[in-house]
Amino acid sequence: MLKGYKLGIIAVFFFLPLTVRAAFLDISPSSGSYKTGANFTVGVYVGTSESINAISGRVYFPTDKLETVSVSKSGSIFSLWVQEPIISSGIVSFEGIILNPGYTGTSGKLVNITFKVKAAGDAKLGFSSASVLANDGKGTNVLTNIGSASYSLGDTTPSSPDTTTPTVITGTPGAPQISSSTHPDQNKWYANNTPVFSWPLPSSVTAVRTAAGIIPKANPTVVYSPPVASRNLDSLNDGVWYFHTQFRNATGWGEITHFRFQIDTQKPTLFNITEVARSDQTLSKIKFSFDAQDETSGISYYEIKIDNNEAFNWEDDGSHQFETAALFPGKHSIFVKAFDQAGNWLANTAEFNIEPLKAPAVTDYKKSLSSGDVLTVKGVTYGSIKVVALVQKDKEEIKTYTVDSDQEGNFSFILPDKVQNGIYSLWFYALDNRDSRSLPSEKNIIEVKPTQLESAGFWLSGVLSIIVPLIALIILLILVILRGWHKINMLKKKLRKEVFEAEKMTHKAFADLRAQVSEQVKILQRASVRRKLTREESKILKELGEHIDTDEQSVIKEIEDIEDQVK
């Protein structure tokens, strides 16, 4: 709520004719819909065009459908209380004084009354008696208009507020079609005190007049000529307001549109969380009582976060009690935001502890088993209670099983599957029909060994795992050697063939050489008939023949040596 010093700013846009000595009392909001069990708050306001200094009133309400939760004086314009607010037999009475220079304005708050819905139906609020005295030294009662309110209670759909006033003069403009980009829904609350309104402006309209205030069907008084198509309002008080617009054409002023808008910029004024007393500290579902109050729009819902889990929304069914889901033993915290209808919130937190049940005790089990044996564990816990067994083999996934204890608390757990080689870990916790549970018992370790036959098989498997690869390696080596030997033989055959070819070609080459030399010798011998060879020439011929023979024998010997090596 804005304080009195801001009302002068508001009066620029919203006012009653100042030439009339008049004051009014009103209840805001004047309508609404609330669920059974829900709380909502209404304000009692005064509006006056001249200074006043004393107000008294008696607000009635149906006690079969509503009960008063509280009456708040916070933000009241009263300086002194002649009679503190009293609640009696369906009446809220109050009387107060405003010191000089008195009060003048359109929305002076007197009291806030918070109701709780008891039953479904329609509830009407009004004044059984009231007075507003002028600050004129005579105590003149200037009250001329008294408002009332009507609410739909229970799971009903709120009725839309009145939007138009029937036209009076034929030919005048129709009712303006008001819309708001900031407060579009007339039945919702918004945390915005600077509303914006707009309307289509017909070409025949020559002027527009507007007003805003807490009276549902007031006549607009502020004239705009040339006409405007929108208005922005600033710094309004929290509460239910009405914006009034009217067009004028050449014929005159037309119908008036009354557009309701609701403002709540303040967070809830109170929010307490109280844990409901438990007879048993091992209960896993904890109840909390939420006491939240919002003077203007009322509490809408709660956002709840328990420990580090995801937050979720919860609506009060009228009991004001929230119950958690089943929780594990230990310390916990609950963090709650109470949201009003406009989305403002106030948070609170509480810590609580859940004591565990006594953990089951294991009384009999074998620490060592053979593969294929049946695993059986016996233990003791509370009588007729569930026992949850958790089983883990080595580092595999944990498996969960449930057995019931007998009336004496004895239980026997048999693992459905026969055990296999490895290390088994088993532990247990108790779970009763309230979902309360114990802390887990100590882990029991069971070693599963192979049987003698499996051991022999394992030994043989181990031996074979060494011998088989070794034999395979030897066979592979033999195959490699045989393949190499085969390749060598093939190479030798190829070399022998090539040596034979080389020897053959050598003999042929030397034979050709010898034939050519012999031919040359014959030519020289024939020439010697005509001319006798010299001693030197004869020696050369002889040595040439000898060299040919010697070289042929050397080459043939080398070829034979190569052939012997190939063999």
Side-chain angles (χ1 to χ4, degrees), residues 495 499 557-567:
L495 288 174
V499 168
K557 186 176 183 306
E558 290 297 328
I559 292 173
E560 289 176 349
D561 289 343
I562 293 172
E563 189 175 8
D564 290 340
Q565 290 180 4
V566 171
K567 292 178 180 181

mmCIF file of all heavy atoms in Angstrom, residues 495 499 557-567:
data_model
loop_
_atom_site.group_PDB
_atom_site.id
_atom_site.type_symbol
_atom_site.label_atom_id
_atom_site.label_comp_id
_atom_site.label_asym_id
_atom_site.label_seq_id
_atom_site.Cartn_x
_atom_site.Cartn_y
_atom_site.Cartn_z
ATOM 1 N N LEU A 495 68.376 -72.212 -59.452
ATOM 2 C CA LEU A 495 69.796 -71.887 -59.623
ATOM 3 C C LEU A 495 70.501 -72.940 -60.473
ATOM 4 O O LEU A 495 71.356 -72.615 -61.323
ATOM 5 C CB LEU A 495 70.466 -71.751 -58.261
ATOM 6 C CG LEU A 495 70.114 -70.495 -57.451
ATOM 7 C CD1 LEU A 495 70.741 -70.555 -56.053
ATOM 8 C CD2 LEU A 495 70.592 -69.251 -58.175
ATOM 9 N N VAL A 499 72.505 -72.307 -63.645
ATOM 10 C CA VAL A 499 73.938 -72.675 -63.767
ATOM 11 C C VAL A 499 74.166 -73.536 -65.003
ATOM 12 O O VAL A 499 75.147 -73.363 -65.768
ATOM 13 C CB VAL A 499 74.405 -73.393 -62.493
ATOM 14 C CG1 VAL A 499 75.776 -74.034 -62.694
ATOM 15 C CG2 VAL A 499 74.448 -72.422 -61.314
ATOM 16 N N LYS A 557 85.271 -74.383 -64.312
ATOM 17 C CA LYS A 557 85.497 -74.801 -62.924
ATOM 18 C C LYS A 557 84.630 -73.958 -61.948
ATOM 19 O O LYS A 557 84.048 -74.485 -60.992
ATOM 20 C CB LYS A 557 86.970 -74.660 -62.570
ATOM 21 C CG LYS A 557 87.318 -75.206 -61.168
ATOM 22 C CD LYS A 557 88.807 -75.134 -60.929
ATOM 23 C CE LYS A 557 89.166 -75.739 -59.585
ATOM 24 N NZ LYS A 557 88.451 -75.199 -58.481
ATOM 25 N N GLU A 558 84.576 -72.639 -62.206
ATOM 26 C CA GLU A 558 83.757 -71.782 -61.328
ATOM 27 C C GLU A 558 82.297 -72.165 -61.408
ATOM 28 O O GLU A 558 81.575 -72.192 -60.386
ATOM 29 C CB GLU A 558 83.932 -70.303 -61.733
ATOM 30 C CG GLU A 558 85.293 -69.715 -61.417
ATOM 31 C CD GLU A 558 85.577 -69.689 -59.940
ATOM 32 O OE1 GLU A 558 84.613 -69.529 -59.143
ATOM 33 O OE2 GLU A 558 86.757 -69.818 -59.550
ATOM 34 N N ILE A 559 81.834 -72.453 -62.598
ATOM 35 C CA ILE A 559 80.433 -72.869 -62.755
ATOM 36 C C ILE A 559 80.167 -74.173 -62.022
ATOM 37 O O ILE A 559 79.133 -74.351 -61.363
ATOM 38 C CB ILE A 559 80.069 -72.985 -64.242
ATOM 39 C CG1 ILE A 559 80.077 -71.584 -64.887
ATOM 40 C CG2 ILE A 559 78.712 -73.639 -64.445
ATOM 41 C CD1 ILE A 559 79.897 -71.611 -66.411
ATOM 42 N N GLU A 560 81.129 -75.092 -62.090
ATOM 43 C CA GLU A 560 80.965 -76.371 -61.390
ATOM 44 C C GLU A 560 80.945 -76.175 -59.874
ATOM 45 O O GLU A 560 80.198 -76.848 -59.150
ATOM 46 C CB GLU A 560 82.105 -77.311 -61.791
ATOM 47 C CG GLU A 560 81.991 -77.818 -63.240
ATOM 48 C CD GLU A 560 83.183 -78.674 -63.659
ATOM 49 O OE1 GLU A 560 84.196 -78.692 -62.892
ATOM 50 O OE2 GLU A 560 83.099 -79.318 -64.721
ATOM 51 N N ASP A 561 81.777 -75.197 -59.383
ATOM 52 C CA ASP A 561 81.781 -74.923 -57.934
ATOM 53 C C ASP A 561 80.411 -74.379 -57.493
ATOM 54 O O ASP A 561 79.886 -74.766 -56.429
ATOM 55 C CB ASP A 561 82.878 -73.909 -57.609
ATOM 56 C CG ASP A 561 84.280 -74.517 -57.741
ATOM 57 O OD1 ASP A 561 84.380 -75.773 -57.763
ATOM 58 O OD2 ASP A 561 85.247 -73.743 -57.822
ATOM 59 N N ILE A 562 79.854 -73.489 -58.319
ATOM 60 C CA ILE A 562 78.517 -72.941 -57.978
ATOM 61 C C ILE A 562 77.476 -74.050 -57.985
ATOM 62 O O ILE A 562 76.599 -74.132 -57.111
ATOM 63 C CB ILE A 562 78.128 -71.836 -58.976
ATOM 64 C CG1 ILE A 562 79.056 -70.624 -58.793
ATOM 65 C CG2 ILE A 562 76.677 -71.403 -58.796
ATOM 66 C CD1 ILE A 562 78.877 -69.551 -59.856
ATOM 67 N N GLU A 563 77.604 -74.942 -58.947
ATOM 68 C CA GLU A 563 76.648 -76.046 -59.032
ATOM 69 C C GLU A 563 76.766 -76.962 -57.835
ATOM 70 O O GLU A 563 75.755 -77.436 -57.295
ATOM 71 C CB GLU A 563 76.899 -76.816 -60.335
ATOM 72 C CG GLU A 563 75.811 -77.869 -60.619
ATOM 73 C CD GLU A 563 76.023 -78.531 -61.980
ATOM 74 O OE1 GLU A 563 77.071 -78.284 -62.590
ATOM 75 O OE2 GLU A 563 75.122 -79.267 -62.386
ATOM 76 N N ASP A 564 77.978 -77.179 -57.358
ATOM 77 C CA ASP A 564 78.178 -78.024 -56.172
ATOM 78 C C ASP A 564 77.547 -77.374 -54.936
ATOM 79 O O ASP A 564 76.959 -78.065 -54.081
ATOM 80 C CB ASP A 564 79.678 -78.247 -55.935
ATOM 81 C CG ASP A 564 80.310 -79.151 -57.013
ATOM 82 O OD1 ASP A 564 79.527 -79.877 -57.671
ATOM 83 O OD2 ASP A 564 81.532 -79.104 -57.177
ATOM 84 N N GLN A 565 77.684 -76.043 -54.836
ATOM 85 C CA GLN A 565 77.082 -75.344 -53.672
ATOM 86 C C GLN A 565 75.559 -75.399 -53.708
ATOM 87 O O GLN A 565 74.905 -75.535 -52.677
ATOM 88 C CB GLN A 565 77.552 -73.877 -53.659
ATOM 89 C CG GLN A 565 79.035 -73.737 -53.318
ATOM 90 C CD GLN A 565 79.479 -72.281 -53.321
ATOM 91 O OE1 GLN A 565 78.653 -71.399 -53.501
ATOM 92 N NE2 GLN A 565 80.778 -72.052 -53.123
ATOM 93 N N VAL A 566 74.976 -75.275 -54.899
ATOM 94 C CA VAL A 566 73.529 -75.364 -55.027
ATOM 95 C C VAL A 566 73.034 -76.733 -54.613
ATOM 96 O O VAL A 566 72.003 -76.903 -53.983
ATOM 97 C CB VAL A 566 73.082 -74.994 -56.449
ATOM 98 C CG1 VAL A 566 71.607 -75.286 -56.657
ATOM 99 C CG2 VAL A 566 73.394 -73.541 -56.741
ATOM 100 N N LYS A 567 73.788 -77.747 -54.934
ATOM 101 C CA LYS A 567 73.384 -79.112 -54.560
ATOM 102 C C LYS A 567 73.429 -79.315 -53.067
ATOM 103 O O LYS A 567 72.674 -80.069 -52.509
ATOM 104 C CB LYS A 567 74.283 -80.125 -55.253
ATOM 105 C CG LYS A 567 74.089 -80.156 -56.767
ATOM 106 C CD LYS A 567 75.029 -81.151 -57.415
ATOM 107 C CE LYS A 567 74.865 -81.216 -58.937
ATOM 108 N NZ LYS A 567 75.760 -82.183 -59.564
#
